[in-house]
Amino acid sequence: EAFASDAFNKSQFTCYAFIGYQTAYLKANYPSEYMAAVLSNNMNDIKQVSFFMEECKRMGIRVLGPDINESFYKFNVNEDKAIRFGMGAIKGVGKGAVETIVQNRKDGDYKDIYDFAKRIDLRLANKKTFENLVLAGGFDSFKNKRAQYFNIDNDGLTFLEKTVKYGAKYHESVNSSQISLFGEGAINDTSDLTMPDCEEWINLERLKKEREVVGIYISAHPLDDYLKEINNFTSTGLSSLSDLN
């Protein structure tokens, strides 16, 4: 008691208690928003992100992958009360790239990859940005296979590279003095940009590439193919190994 009266006085205890009450209130009444804030606060520490994503799972909160039409720089909550992964947590996607993506979708969602390439500022979002967004699942809402973006054509270019070049050419035509001189519209022809059809990567390869740019598995897990065996033929999890000491 003598130590407590000096080292942990009442004013300090009161502050901790008040913050503890506020935290508990937010977690109980606004669970999705609270966990999105916690994830955003730890987005530079992938181990902490993994830990808190497990806590979301325990609480029954869905954590969805990044999406160019819903995500922001940090983690956020969508209309369905699910948490969207922050684009700022994707390797190679800087704050400037996220800002131009968010700013230019105020006029409406991006309809497809061509629309995306035309509307954003390509000085802030380069080819690497496009590639890592694809690998992280940022374009999955367009219902295309991730492998299609990296399919190499006869010119030795991937579809994604051709799309970025198309976007740059479009912007150039918009800013060209010839457009205003003759009253013509900007280049809008995508006939040479038909997305090639190809097989999707196997689950393990797709998840490996996803983990390389995000640091963790988001859309699925490599062991998902063995869920039946895990649920029926195991009696404990790997977490039990931490108690061996």
Side-chain angles (χ1 to χ4, degrees), residues 13-34:
F13 176 79
T14 302
C15 293
Y16 276 113
F18 185 52
I19 293 172
Y21 170 79
Q22 291 176 314
T23 302
Y25 178 85
L26 291 172
K27 189 172 183 180
N29 294 279
Y30 302 93
S32 296
E33 290 81 359
Y34 173 79

Side-chain angles (χ1 to χ4, degrees), residues 189-202:
D189 184 19
T190 59
S191 59
D192 294 332
L193 287 175
T194 303
M195 180 170 279
D197 191 20
C198 65
E199 290 293 323
E200 176 63 302
W201 296 317
I202 61 172

Side-chain angles (χ1 to χ4, degrees), residues 28-235:
N29 294 279
Y30 302 93
S32 296
E33 290 81 359
Y34 173 79
M35 291 308 296
V38 171
L39 285 163
S40 294
N41 194 49
N42 292 276
M43 64 190 293
N44 294 322
D45 186 341
I46 202 62
K47 289 184 178 179
Q48 286 291 88
V49 170
S50 298
F51 174 81
F52 288 117
M53 283 183 68
E54 284 299 316
E55 175 65 5
C56 288
K57 186 177 180 181
R58 186 194 67 80
M59 294 170 65
I61 301 171
R62 290 188 302 148
V63 180
L64 307 174
D67 181 87
I68 59 167
N69 282 323
E70 274 198 353
S71 294
F72 292 85
Y73 185 78
K74 295 183 177 182
F75 291 76
N76 66 291
V77 180
N78 66 11
E79 293 180 355
D80 299 323
K81 292 298 179 181
I83 296 175
R84 271 289 179 192
F85 211 86
M87 287 187 284
I90 305 172
K91 294 177 184 177
V93 180
K95 197 163 189 176
V98 177
E99 286 176 352
T100 186
I101 292 171
V102 173
Q103 179 66 30
N104 286 286
R105 75 178 183 212
K106 289 182 178 179
D107 296 329
D109 288 351
Y110 299 109
K111 299 174 183 177
D112 49 41
I113 186 68
Y114 316 117
D115 185 40
F116 180 77
K118 288 194 301 182
R119 288 165 62 182
I120 68 168
D121 188 343
L122 295 177
R123 293 170 297 180
L124 299 173
N126 56 25
K127 186 186 74 168
K128 194 65 178 177
T129 304
F130 276 68
E131 290 176 348
N132 289 4
L133 280 170
V134 171
L135 296 176
F139 295 117
D140 284 0
S141 58
F142 295 154
K143 306 302 181 184
N144 298 312
K145 304 165 189 170
R146 295 184 192 178
Q148 288 179 278
Y149 293 97
F150 293 90
N151 190 72
I152 300 175
D153 64 8
N154 296 329
D155 298 330
L157 297 174
T158 65
F159 172 76
L160 204 54
E161 288 174 321
K162 293 179 71 174
T163 303
V164 174
K165 285 190 173 185
Y166 160 77
K169 193 174 181 180
Y170 174 84
H171 284 286
E172 185 181 345
S173 69
V174 169
N175 298 322
S176 172
S177 59
Q178 292 183 0
I179 298 299
S180 58
L181 180 62
F182 297 107
E184 298 174 358
I187 295 172
N188 227 351
D189 184 19
T190 59
S191 59
D192 294 332
L193 287 175
T194 303
M195 180 170 279
D197 191 20
C198 65
E199 290 293 323
E200 176 63 302
W201 296 317
I202 61 172
N203 194 45
L204 194 61
E205 184 179 3
R206 180 175 59 83
L207 290 173
K208 179 184 176 183
K209 294 178 184 294
E210 183 178 291
R211 191 173 188 273
E212 286 174 355
V213 297
V214 181
I216 53 176
Y217 304 115
I218 306 176
S219 59
H221 193 278
L223 293 179
D224 285 351
D225 294 337
Y226 305 97
L227 280 179
K228 186 176 181 181
E229 290 83 354
I230 292 172
N231 292 332
N232 291 282
F233 297 103
T234 60
S235 58

